[in-house]
C-alpha cells in the first residue's frame, strides 16, 4: 500500500495511522495496515518509555554537575506535542547545554558509559558532540551547544529562558520551541514530513500564545535567522497549514535565494539518496546568512564525509575530498537546473 510505505519511510506510521483513525478513516484501511500500525505503536511506546527514562537520567546527572540541560526532540518532545511519546519514534538522546558547559557535559556522560570517538577534536564543534555508549545496543547521545549553525545567541537564550515543567524538567517557551522546530526543518533541507508534523503540532498546542505575530520579536532579535525562519514557515504553510503571516513570518517579497530553497523542499523524499543529501546541503547554503559562508565551506567542502574518511588512507584523503567536492558541485548544478527549468523534486506548491 503506497500510503503505508510512505508513512514507514517517513517514520510517521504511529502518528499517521492514529490521525487517520481519529478522522474516521480507519475502516478504509486494510487489515494489514491496521495490524502493522498497532504493532508499531506498541513497539514505539516501549522504546520511547525506555529512552525517556534514559534521557531524564542523563539530564539529572548533568544537573548534579551544575550543567543546565534541555531535551531536544525525542520522547519528551513527543509527549509534550502529541500527548504520547510513541507518536515520534526516535533512537538518540539529544540535549542542549551551554557552550561553556560542553566539556563538563562530556565528562559527566562518561559516568553513564558514553564515549567520544578516538581522536575527536577538542575544539568547539559546529553543532554538537556525538557520543556512543560502551554497550552498542544503547542509544547515541548528542550534546548540542546550539540547534543550528546560523548564529549563536538564539540557542543560548533558548536554554536560559527555559523553565521547569511539572516534572522539574526544562521546557522552552512556546515561541522558542516553534522557532527551534522551524530551524530543525530548515537545517534538514525541508526533507520529508516528520519535522513539518512537529511544527504543526506545536502550533496546534500553542496557537493562542503565538498568534498576532508571536515570532516577530524573534526575527527582530536574531536577524541572521530571518531567512531560515521565514522560508521554513512558508514551506510549512504549504504543507501543513502553518499561518506564517499570523506568526509574523511571511516575507513581504521573498528574496531569490530563500525562494529557491523553498522550491527544493522534498516532502515525498523522492529521488536518489545522494541527490537528496546534496539538495539538503544546497538549502543550507541558500539560507546561510551573511558572514556564515566560512562555516558552510568547512562543513560541506573542507571536511571529508564520514563514509570517505573512515576508509581512505591518509595519502588518499586529499583526492577523496576533491572528488567529493566535484560530485557535490555537480549535484548542486542538477538541483538548480531542475528549479530553473520549472521542475521540482516534489509537487510542493510555491509559498504564497
Amino acid at each position: 500500500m503506497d500510503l503505508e510505505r510512505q508513512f514507514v519511510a517517513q517514520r510517521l506510521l504511529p502518528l499517521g495511522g492514529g490521525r487517520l483513525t481519529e478522522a474516521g478513516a480507519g475502516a478504509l484501511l486494510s487489515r494489514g495496515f491496521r495490524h502493522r500500525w498497532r504493532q508499531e505503536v506498541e513497539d514505539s511506546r516501549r522504546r520511547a518509555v525506555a529512552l525517556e527514562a534514559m534521557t531524564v537520567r542523563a539530564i539529572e546527572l548533568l544537573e548534579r554537575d551544575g550543567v543546565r540541560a534541555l531535551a531536544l526532540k525525542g520522547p519528551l518532545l513527543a509527549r509534550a506535542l502529541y500527548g504520547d511519546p510513541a507518536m515520534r519514534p526516535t533512537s538518540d538522546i539529544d540535549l542542549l547545554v551551554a557552550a561553556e558547559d560542553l566539556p563538563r557535559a562530556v565528562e559527566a556522560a562518561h559516568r553513564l558509559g558514553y564515549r567520544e570517538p578516538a581522536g575527536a577534536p577538542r575544539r568547539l564543534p559546529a553543532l554538537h558532540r556525538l557520543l556512543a555508549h560502551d554497550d552498542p545496543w544503547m542509544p547515541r547521545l548528542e550534546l548540542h551547544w546550539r540547534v543550528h549553525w546560523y548564529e549563536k545567541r538564539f540557542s543560548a537564550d533558548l536554554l536560559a529562558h527555559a523553565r521547569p515543567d511539572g516534572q522539574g524538567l526544562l521546557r522552552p517557551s512556546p515561541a522558542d520551541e516553534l522557532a527551534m522546530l522551524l530551524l530543525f526543518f530548515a537545517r534538514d533541507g525541508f526533507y520529508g514530513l516528520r519535522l513539518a508534523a512537529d511544527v504543526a503540532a506545536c502550533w496546534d498546542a500553542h496557537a493562542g500564545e503565538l498568534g498576532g505575530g508571536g515570532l516577530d520579536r524573534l526575527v527582530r532579535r536574531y536577524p541572521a535567522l530571518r531567512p531560515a525562519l521565514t522560508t521554513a514557515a512558508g514551506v510549512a504553510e504549504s504543507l501543513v497549514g502553518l499561518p506564517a503571516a499570523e506568526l509574523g513570518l511571511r516575507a513581504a517579497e521573498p528574496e531569490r535565494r530563500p525562494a529557491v530553497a523553498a522550491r527544493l523542499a522534498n516532502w515525498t523524499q523522492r529521488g536518489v539518496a545522494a541527490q537528496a543529501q546534496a539538495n539538503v546541503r544546497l538549502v543550507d547554503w541558500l539560507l546561510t546568512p551573511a558572514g556564515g559562508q566560512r562555516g558552510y565551506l568547512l562543513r560541506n567542502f573542507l571536511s571529508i564525509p564520514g563514509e570517505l574518511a573512515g576508509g581512505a588512507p591518509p595519502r588518499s584523503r586529499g583526492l577523496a575530498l576533491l572528488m567529493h567536492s566535484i560530485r557535490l558541485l555537480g549535484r548542486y548544478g542538477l538541483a538548480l537546473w531542475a528549479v530553473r527549468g520549472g521542475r521540482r523534486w516534489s509537487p510542493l506548491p510555491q509559498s504564497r
Side-chain angles (χ1 to χ4, degrees):
M1 183 179 183
D2 288 342
L3 183 60
E4 181 179 350
R5 282 198 298 269
Q6 187 66 242
F7 279 150
V8 171
Q10 304 255 8
R11 293 189 296 163
L12 284 172
L13 184 58
L15 180 61
R19 291 295 185 262
L20 288 173
T21 302
E22 291 171 6
L28 302 177
L29 303 175
S30 69
R31 181 180 299 177
F33 182 103
R34 293 197 300 271
H35 173 75
R36 183 166 185 177
W37 166 62
R38 293 191 186 100
Q39 188 63 50
E40 180 67 21
V41 169
E42 184 177 337
D43 292 345
S44 179
R45 188 167 288 131
R46 282 197 295 264
R47 291 192 300 268
V49 168
L51 192 62
E52 190 172 28
M54 286 185 279
T55 301
V56 172
R57 183 184 175 197
I59 291 173
E60 290 173 346
L61 180 65
L62 291 176
E63 289 181 343
R64 283 200 295 272
D65 279 19
V67 177
R68 186 177 173 88
L70 170 69
L72 305 173
K73 308 180 188 178
L76 294 176
L77 177 66
R79 189 180 291 279
L81 295 185
Y82 303 108
D84 185 345
M87 294 299 102
R88 198 182 188 282
T90 189
S91 56
D92 297 333
I93 298 173
D94 294 84
L95 302 178
L96 176 67
V97 301
E100 60 271 19
D101 288 337
L102 194 55
R104 274 196 298 161
V106 171
E107 290 180 8
H110 290 171
R111 298 203 299 278
L112 290 173
Y114 282 98
R115 306 284 184 269
E116 287 189 284
R122 297 296 93 192
R123 65 178 181 274
L124 192 65
L127 197 66
H128 57 63
R129 292 208 181 282
L130 177 61
L131 294 85
H133 199 275
D134 295 334
D135 182 346
W137 294 101
M138 294 288 282
R140 300 185 308 174
L141 174 63
E142 295 184 4
L143 292 173
H144 295 249
W145 68 277
R146 57 180 175 179
V147 300
H148 58 87
W149 34 62
Y150 299 132
E151 59 88 67
K152 302 175 182 178
R153 291 189 303 132
F154 170 72
S155 297
D157 290 347
L158 181 150
L159 182 61
H161 297 159
R163 294 292 177 265
D165 61 10
Q167 295 180 302
L169 300 172
L170 293 179
R171 290 280 302 151
S173 71
D176 285 347
E177 182 167 76
L178 182 56
M180 176 184 74
L181 294 174
L182 287 169
L183 291 170
F184 287 154
F185 192 32
R187 199 186 73 201
D188 282 11
F190 311 129
Y191 184 75
L193 283 173
R194 184 174 163 87
L195 290 170
D198 291 342
V199 168
C202 186
W203 167 254
D204 289 343
H206 302 296
E209 301 165 84
L210 294 173
L215 293 189
D216 179 65
R217 175 189 61 81
L218 277 171
V219 295
R220 286 188 282 108
R221 180 172 176 80
Y222 313 105
L225 299 183
R226 181 180 294 275
L229 287 175
T230 56
T231 307
V235 175
E237 183 174 45
S238 298
L239 289 177
V240 294
L242 181 76
E246 192 171 342
L247 287 164
L249 290 180
R250 179 175 292 169
E253 187 64 36
E255 298 177 7
R256 181 173 178 78
R257 284 173 55 180
V260 173
R263 294 191 66 184
L264 287 168
N266 184 1
W267 69 270
T268 62
Q269 299 184 343
R270 290 178 181 170
V272 298
Q275 184 63 58
Q277 292 168 4
N279 288 6
V280 169
R281 293 171 183 242
L282 181 54
V283 169
D284 180 22
W285 175 70
L286 292 167
L287 298 180
T288 295
Q293 300 303 322
R294 179 176 179 274
Y296 171 80
L297 290 173
L298 287 172
R299 289 192 303 275
N300 293 282
F301 286 97
L302 300 181
S303 59
I304 303 178
E307 65 273 15
L308 297 178
R315 65 179 179 275
S316 302
R317 291 188 179 184
L319 179 60
L321 182 58
L322 176 62
M323 296 306 298
H324 158 70
S325 299
I326 291 172
R327 284 192 293 268
L328 186 58
L329 286 172
R331 294 195 180 278
Y332 281 9
L334 285 174
L336 293 173
W337 173 81
V339 169
R340 184 175 181 182
R343 301 174 182 84
R344 296 180 189 166
W345 302 108
S346 66
L348 172 70
Q350 280 186 292
S351 300
R352 292 170 291 175

